[in-house]
Amino acid sequence: MTTINLKDFYYWYTQDQFIEVTEEVAEALRASVRYEAAYQRRLSRHKAQYSLDCEDGIEYSACLHEPTPQEVLELKERFIRLWNALNSLPEIQGRRIDAHIILGISIKAIAEADGVHEESVRQSIKRGLERMKKTF
């Protein structure tokens, strides 16, 4: 039997904690520490430090939440319901809502393209959204 200090192997031990373990367990713990140190040396030598601001997509993949199949199905159903609500509108209202909300075109630009006053475009979008809420 060998006496080891758990503080040497586990970071959450803040004080010395000595226990007796078999020689095989002690050697496995030492091998684990050596493997981790070798890994850190390889990272350093091959300059494999990653920064979240280097814009190589690592931060995006680290923060990415992979949706479950249930969530994918719910999103698809919600999209279909929204699509149907948008398609149930008259053509002008649907086109204006699509241009302003989905494409992000300003109300002023939509009014100029349609040759109407901005307030009529604003009211058309408002009435179309209200109608979509009733349909949705």
Side-chain angles (χ1 to χ4, degrees), residues 32-48:
S32 168
V33 169
R34 285 192 305 267
Y35 177 79
E36 185 65 28
Y39 175 73
Q40 291 301 325
R41 277 194 307 274
R42 279 195 310 274
L43 281 179
S44 177
R45 286 181 184 153
H46 297 292
K47 307 211 181 333

Side-chain angles (χ1 to χ4, degrees), residues 71-81:
E71 291 171 337
V72 171
L73 182 63
E74 289 171 0
L75 286 172
K76 186 174 181 180
E77 288 173 352
R78 188 180 312 144
F79 175 77
I80 290 171
R81 287 174 48 205

Side-chain angles (χ1 to χ4, degrees), residues 52-135:
L52 294 181
D53 61 354
C54 65
E55 298 190 20
D56 58 358
I58 291 174
E59 68 276 2
Y60 176 74
S61 63
C63 298
L64 184 65
H65 165 70
E66 189 67 32
T68 65
Q70 179 68 28
E71 291 171 337
V72 171
L73 182 63
E74 289 171 0
L75 286 172
K76 186 174 181 180
E77 288 173 352
R78 188 180 312 144
F79 175 77
I80 290 171
R81 287 174 48 205
L82 281 170
W83 185 261
N84 289 336
L86 184 62
N87 286 336
S88 70
L89 297 175
E91 180 193 352
I92 294 174
Q93 281 182 344
R95 184 171 35 84
R96 288 176 179 170
I97 288 175
D98 180 48
H100 181 63
I101 294 178
I102 297 173
L103 299 177
I105 299 173
S106 69
I107 290 177
K108 183 177 180 179
I110 296 170
E112 289 174 0
D114 288 350
V116 295
H117 195 269
E118 290 179 37
E119 189 58 34
S120 64
V121 172
R122 219 176 259 108
Q123 289 298 321
S124 175
I125 290 173
K126 181 180 176 184
R127 282 192 304 269
L129 290 174
E130 289 171 0
R131 185 182 264 178
M132 282 179 68
K133 285 180 187 177
K134 289 178 185 177
T135 305

